[in-house]
Amino acid sequence: MTTQRRPHPAPTPLPGARPGRDPDRAIKRGPRRLSAEAVAATQRDRLFDGLVREVATKGYDNARVTDICHAAGVTRPAFYALFSGKEDAFLAAYRHGVAVLSQLMEGAYREAGPEWSDAARAALRTLLEVLASVPAFARMALVEVDAAGPDARRERDALLGSFRRFFADAGPGPTADVDRDALVSTVVGGIHATVRNRVAQGRATELPLLLPVLTYAATAPFLGTDGAARATRLARPTDGPGTTAPCAPTGEAAPLP
């Protein structure tokens, strides 16, 4: 008997994957106009896209609310009806994007099979390929988050802490006298620093090339050098179709504006 797989729900767009002034999201006027709630949701999504692209291009400090509104095609009164200010909008866009990215990573981790090394590699691959497909979000979330204030940095730290769940099935590691929690935190921090450095250099589209080295770094402390080498041999960034962010242009990375 064959078990029929349920279709995946339509993915939620990653902030910055579309232009804020996307014609498909233009608010139509007339007798069939959208409800106030639907209009607000559309404006919110467009502001997320506009904010991500403006912050990625100009930096958090130099991206003005006026610029974000213009990039989104949304008025300032509409912006302030949704957010208390730029920091509030940044945090909302960051949380939304992180939730989308985490969901994609979770799906890849679950579907990769029973071996932890395969699941961890699949989650890493998804992380790298999705960020590479939307460089604006990668820069906003990994680099400009440092300039967005203490609340944004706390959100970033909470995100890094949540990535520990991908190591729950990794096993105790080859060395019993090493603090496992500290080891996982060190591995997660090292991966974050490596990815952030590449994005800060303006090389976000190259992130998938880091898959072999990050696979080795993630697995070696738990599987030993031989196990990590086996996992890394399977970490070929160009094998199979890439994972792009929802609504990213097909076949190419969504460029910085």
Side-chain angles (χ1 to χ4, degrees), residues 207-234:
L207 288 176
L209 299 178
L210 294 174
L211 183 60
V213 68
L214 294 185
T215 297
Y216 189 90
T219 58
F222 306 97
L223 304 180
T225 55
D226 290 343
R230 285 192 295 272
T232 302
R233 280 195 292 272
L234 299 173

Side-chain angles (χ1 to χ4, degrees), residues 3 61 109 111 129 140 143 148-150 157 201 206 210 233 235 245:
T3 302
D61 290 334
Y109 185 88
E111 294 175 7
E129 291 182 341
M140 173 262 196
V143 179
D157 292 344
Q201 293 171 355
E206 301 174 15
L210 294 174
R233 280 195 292 272

Side-chain angles (χ1 to χ4, degrees), residues 74-192:
V74 174
T75 66
R76 282 175 63 92
F79 175 93
Y80 283 108
L82 294 167
F83 309 110
S84 62
K86 182 173 71 171
E87 181 180 356
D88 184 37
F90 182 99
L91 288 171
Y94 180 86
R95 290 170 184 145
H96 178 67
V98 162
V100 172
L101 179 59
S102 295
Q103 184 178 34
L104 292 170
M105 291 177 67
E106 286 275 8
Y109 185 88
R110 288 194 307 269
E111 294 175 7
E115 293 292 330
W116 172 75
S117 60
D118 293 337
R121 185 177 60 251
L124 273 173
R125 178 179 178 177
T126 298
L127 170 70
L128 298 173
E129 291 182 341
V130 169
L131 290 177
S133 73
V134 189
F137 180 78
R139 185 165 191 91
M140 173 262 196
L142 284 125
V143 179
E144 293 302 326
V145 67
D146 292 331
D151 288 342
R153 291 190 290 273
R154 279 192 288 271
E155 292 281 341
R156 186 264 323 279
D157 292 344
L159 171 64
L160 294 181
S162 75
F163 283 161
R164 296 167 59 86
R165 68 191 186 278
F166 294 114
F167 294 85
D169 301 320
T175 306
D177 57 350
V178 170
D179 185 305
R180 190 181 187 285
D181 288 342
L183 177 61
V184 171
S185 295
T186 300
V187 171
V188 171
I191 291 171
H192 170 261

